Amino acid sequence: QLGLAVVVEHGDAQRALRATEEMRIPTTILAGVPDVTPILDKLLARRVRFIAPLALPDTVASDCLSAEIALPPPSGASPGGVSFITDRRTVSFRDTDAEKGALTAQRIASVQRAETSPARLAAADVPFAFGSFGEKGKDIRENLRRMVEAGLSREDALAALTTRAADIVGLGDAMGTVERGKIANLVVTSGDYFADTTQVRFVFVEGVRHEIE
């Protein structure tokens, strides 16, 4: 039987980890944190299981101002690992471009950390699965492609959607793989799931086939 602690707000991640440690909850599942940089060491030390969000922030286009700004490296001491630039404050109307450039650079860095978080988890051997967290179905494959382009292997991405997801919530005996006797929730595609040209042909939900138009 699993003792679970699930948090979906990033601001509560550190608190949740402390609380589960103090309460001696044997199995902790942390969920919905978009940037694992500040808590990765604790996830490893505590052997915490993780459910990564399939939702990603919108991409941010770079511009000439933001491209010139070198952000400090991520720090676990700041929220989400974001290092804010303190010398870009607007002191007159002439300085607004510099501040806009700094904010754009920070947004770009935040998007990049969200895209690379699953790859960081995989590289550190932290058990993780994916959760939709309300993300629109039409955006999920594109977000997965962005994560793969950011370093996550296709094999780890598929495992996080299937086998590892089932194992993390203790349902590996009932789902996660295509085997006789397991729940038949399947997605059938015309090719590589991550390829742009691949189409979803149909899905099975508990063994019932549904056509995709």
Side-chain angles (χ1 to χ4, degrees), residues 75-159:
S75 168
S78 59
V82 177
S83 300
F84 290 96
I85 301 173
T86 57
D87 61 351
R88 297 289 180 180
R89 292 172 294 176
T90 301
V91 295
S92 74
F93 288 113
R94 292 188 300 273
D95 300 315
T96 55
D97 283 347
E99 185 171 12
K100 288 178 181 178
L103 291 173
T104 300
Q106 289 168 353
R107 289 175 60 200
I108 292 172
S110 178
V111 171
Q112 291 173 343
R113 280 191 295 272
E115 291 174 338
T116 58
S117 274
R120 290 174 182 268
L121 291 166
D125 289 327
V126 174
F128 77 96
F130 282 124
S132 60
F133 295 97
E135 181 67 341
K136 296 178 181 178
K138 65 182 181 66
D139 295 329
I140 286 177
R141 286 179 64 199
E142 174 59 28
N143 289 350
L144 283 167
R145 280 193 285 265
R146 287 168 60 186
M147 295 175 192
V148 168
E149 290 172 0
L152 180 66
S153 72
R154 298 184 180 200
E155 292 77 14
D156 282 328
L158 283 174

Side-chain angles (χ1 to χ4, degrees), residues 3 25-26 39-40 48 50 58 69 73 112 126 174 192 198 209:
I25 295 178
I39 59 172
L40 190 56
V48 172
F50 192 84
D58 293 335
I69 296 172
Q112 291 173 343
V126 174
D192 181 351
T198 296
R209 174 171 165 168

Side-chain angles (χ1 to χ4, degrees), residues 38 50 60 68 79 89 94 170 189 191 194 203 206:
F50 192 84
V60 179
E68 295 176 357
R89 292 172 294 176
R94 292 188 300 273
T189 68
F194 299 102
V203 299
E206 296 186 1

